[in-house]
Amino acid sequence: MLRSRTRVLALASTVLALALAAPAGTAATAAPREARGPVTLVFDKNPKHPTYSKLTAYLGKRVLGQWRAGSGTTTDECQVGRRNSGGWLPNGTYAVSSRTRTYNGDAIKGYAIRLADKKCKGGKGANRDELFIHSRMTVNGASQWRGDRDYKSLGCVKLHPNHIKALFRTLDVYGEAKTLKVIA
């Protein structure tokens, strides 16, 4: 009995040592069952510098990740995206309907999270549709990022390709996001 207790303690100390030796900032390959979703996403708009807004992933009150994000080319939430302009997302809560790594739309390709439609101005203005969290990529997820100007969008939330991939890995581990809250 003493011998098996010694083995258990040795094994436990080895596991603890390996866990402590993991480099800082590395994500676990699987979250504990009690620590799985739903994940909440929060897009915090920066009125002074819209392309320096933040997208944060939460599990309860725990921050799972935070990334620089942009939305639109103007802070007018009712400006419907046309050609090279669109307003940023209206404040409120959006349902997240799907997530894919191989979206193949006209303007959006690759990693994309589909958001529900929303009317601006508290539900009394223009309908905002075809809303996503996405990046500038090919359909296969290769980066086409050209720099800071790519944080601008036709009204979606836009992340750097490395950051949207990190967001997807976070959702793979902790569970799907059910909502996006947009605040300013």
Side-chain angles (χ1 to χ4, degrees):
M1 176 133 168
L2 183 58
R3 183 178 246 170
S4 75
R5 192 177 297 169
T6 304
R7 280 187 186 159
V8 169
L9 290 174
L11 179 60
S13 63
T14 301
V15 170
L16 180 60
L18 289 172
L20 293 174
T26 59
T29 56
R33 184 170 295 297
E34 65 276 2
R36 289 194 50 86
V39 172
T40 301
L41 301 174
V42 176
F43 179 60
D44 189 359
K45 300 186 292 189
N46 181 343
K48 290 184 180 179
H49 302 285
T51 61
Y52 283 89
S53 299
K54 296 283 183 199
L55 180 72
T56 307
Y58 291 94
L59 183 62
K61 293 182 181 180
R62 179 179 170 202
V63 174
L64 300 175
Q66 185 175 74
W67 305 274
R68 178 181 169 189
S71 178
T73 58
T74 173
T75 58
D76 177 0
E77 68 178 33
C78 285
Q79 175 68 43
V80 177
R82 292 183 219 89
R83 298 179 100 21
N84 295 320
S85 68
W88 65 3
L89 286 179
N91 289 350
T93 301
Y94 296 73
V96 173
S97 61
S98 64
R99 173 171 74 106
T100 181
R101 287 174 165 86
T102 57
Y103 190 80
N104 194 16
D106 292 334
I108 299 168
K109 302 205 182 293
Y111 286 58
I113 299 173
R114 180 79 162 101
L115 305 172
D117 298 349
K118 184 172 282 302
K119 288 188 177 274
C120 65
K121 302 282 186 202
K124 298 175 184 164
N127 188 46
R128 301 294 305 277
D129 60 1
E130 297 185 45
L131 302 173
F132 293 86
I133 299 171
H134 69 96
S135 187
R136 184 174 171 83
M137 313 174 113
T138 67
V139 69
N140 297 319
S143 175
Q144 292 188 320
W145 199 258
R146 301 169 301 188
D148 278 357
R149 68 182 181 194
D150 279 338
Y151 282 105
K152 294 181 179 181
S153 72
L154 296 178
C156 298
V157 175
K158 204 163 180 191
L159 300 170
H160 185 279
N162 293 340
H163 296 163
I164 197 162
K165 288 179 179 182
L167 171 60
F168 271 58
R169 287 190 303 270
T170 299
L171 297 175
D172 289 343
V173 171
Y174 290 97
E176 294 301 323
K178 300 295 183 194
T179 58
L180 168 73
K181 292 180 184 177
V182 178
I183 60 175

